[in-house]
Amino acid sequence: MATSSLTGERLRDKVCIVTGAASGLGRAIALAYASQGARLVACADLKPTPKSVFEAEEAGIPTHELICKRRGENKGIFVKTNVTIGTEVEALVQEVVKMGGRLDVMVNNAGIGGTENHGMVHEMSEETWDTVMSINSRSVFLGCKYACGQFMKQEPHASGHRGWIVNTSSIMGLVGQMVYGAAYCASKGAVTLLTKQIAVEYAKYKVHCNAVCPGHLRTPMTQDQFQDREMRTAISALTPWGDEWGSAKDVAQAYVYLASDDAAYVTGVALPVDGGYCAQ
């Protein structure tokens, strides 16, 4: 799979927010957006530095600082945000509009994994269910809510479109799987259908809403799985691509496409980027 850094102008002059941008897929998306000419990339997370640096590019540098180092001063900012709290998500959007003059792209990416052994449904605690649903699906609702509110207030982009939302779902938002818990699958399924509903509801206002459904990636979220040889082999066997897991960089390019004018006639899509998993 390609791992080189691609540069271009596909997101030229767009103001973007990426939640969960400190590490993993969110970091890769933020760096990819900056490399494609975004005017401003706001990196939203609880902390600017990740707990794990597994598979991280230039791991010692926070994402927003790396963007500024590569692309210029004020091209990236960090905004501390708890994405499960509506007032904080609203404040995030307001801060970015204050800095960038508008909001063009909202990437609702923050989430937690389902890799912990939560057991079958009858063994799962209500607290586990509520926590996963809050972080993985409520946060996407809030991001969509406040992004759409801003899109409706502002003038259209030069392309004639008002805004782009890209949500992070999962292959587990399309199919069930034994590796992940019921709460994770349900939370990502909610993201998939929320994406389609918003796409239909806001199409007449020229707001795009799409989702990416990543397969098994090498990220801090899956570090324990990947480094457990038995687990890694079992998961690899599920994917037609074989023993090669995807990288965050591979998947980030799909987020670039869905936020670009190349996707001018695309909305309501849940796009698997999964090495062929969902083709089976």
Side-chain angles (χ1 to χ4, degrees):
M1 296 181 187
T3 57
S4 61
S5 296
L6 302 177
T7 59
E9 296 290 319
R10 297 173 76 185
L11 302 183
R12 183 178 180 181
D13 209 36
K14 287 185 176 179
V15 177
C16 312
I17 293 173
V18 180
T19 69
S23 65
L25 180 56
R27 181 178 175 92
I29 296 165
L31 294 175
Y33 278 15
S35 75
Q36 289 293 329
R39 179 170 14 134
L40 175 66
V41 180
C43 302
D45 216 314
L46 292 172
K47 296 180 179 179
T49 54
K51 293 181 180 178
S52 170
V53 296
F54 178 68
E55 290 284 317
E57 185 178 346
E58 296 194 52
I61 307 176
T63 306
H64 68 292
E65 292 183 9
L66 184 55
I67 289 172
C68 292
K69 174 186 173 183
R70 291 179 175 180
R71 308 299 167 191
E73 188 177 356
N74 297 324
K75 289 292 186 178
I77 61 170
F78 172 75
V79 183
K80 182 179 179 181
T81 310
N82 183 331
V83 292
T84 69
I85 299 175
T87 53
E88 293 201 20
V89 178
E90 182 179 24
L92 164 66
V93 171
Q94 290 175 346
E95 176 66 16
V96 171
V97 172
K98 180 180 177 181
M99 292 283 294
R102 58 184 291 115
L103 174 64
D104 296 299
V105 183
M106 181 72 177
V107 178
N108 295 304
N109 169 74
I112 58 174
T115 58
E116 301 83 359
N117 183 16
H118 293 151
M120 298 174 70
V121 168
H122 71 282
E123 301 168 316
M124 182 178 291
S125 71
E126 294 178 25
E127 180 182 8
T128 292
W129 177 273
D130 291 342
T131 298
V132 175
M133 293 298 290
S134 179
I135 297 172
N136 285 2
S137 59
R138 173 182 166 84
S139 67
V140 176
F141 156 69
L142 292 173
C144 291
K145 171 182 171 65
Y146 290 107
C148 286
Q150 176 58 34
F151 294 156
M152 297 292 283
K153 291 189 294 186
Q154 66 191 23
E155 291 298 314
H157 182 264
S159 64
H161 294 240
R162 288 188 181 275
W164 292 259
I165 296 172
V166 190
N167 297 324
T168 297
S169 183
S170 168
I171 56 174
M172 269 63 79
L174 301 173
V175 298
Q177 190 186 76
M178 291 293 292
V179 176
Y180 285 76
Y184 184 82
C185 292
S187 71
K188 292 302 186 178
V191 171
T192 298
L193 265 296
L194 176 63
T195 297
K196 292 178 180 292
Q197 169 59 26
I198 289 173
V200 171
E201 193 169 12
Y202 286 87
K204 64 183 177 182
Y205 302 108
K206 292 296 186 288
V207 172
H208 299 254
C209 189
N210 294 291
V212 176
C213 301
H216 295 286
L217 308 182
R218 306 185 305 273
T219 69
M221 187 180 291
T222 61
Q223 180 177 356
D224 291 343
Q225 287 182 340
F226 189 76
Q227 293 180 336
D228 182 321
R229 183 172 295 276
E230 184 177 348
M231 178 68 77
R232 175 179 173 181
T233 300
I235 291 175
S236 296
L238 299 173
T239 304
W241 218 256
D243 62 356
E244 187 174 2
W245 288 32
S247 75
K249 277 187 178 182
D250 294 327
V251 179
Q253 298 307 315
Y255 288 79
V256 171
Y257 164 68
L258 290 173
S260 74
D261 293 340
D262 294 337
Y265 200 54
V266 179
T267 196
V269 165
L271 175 64
V273 186
D274 63 356
Y277 180 91
C278 287
Q280 301 178 102

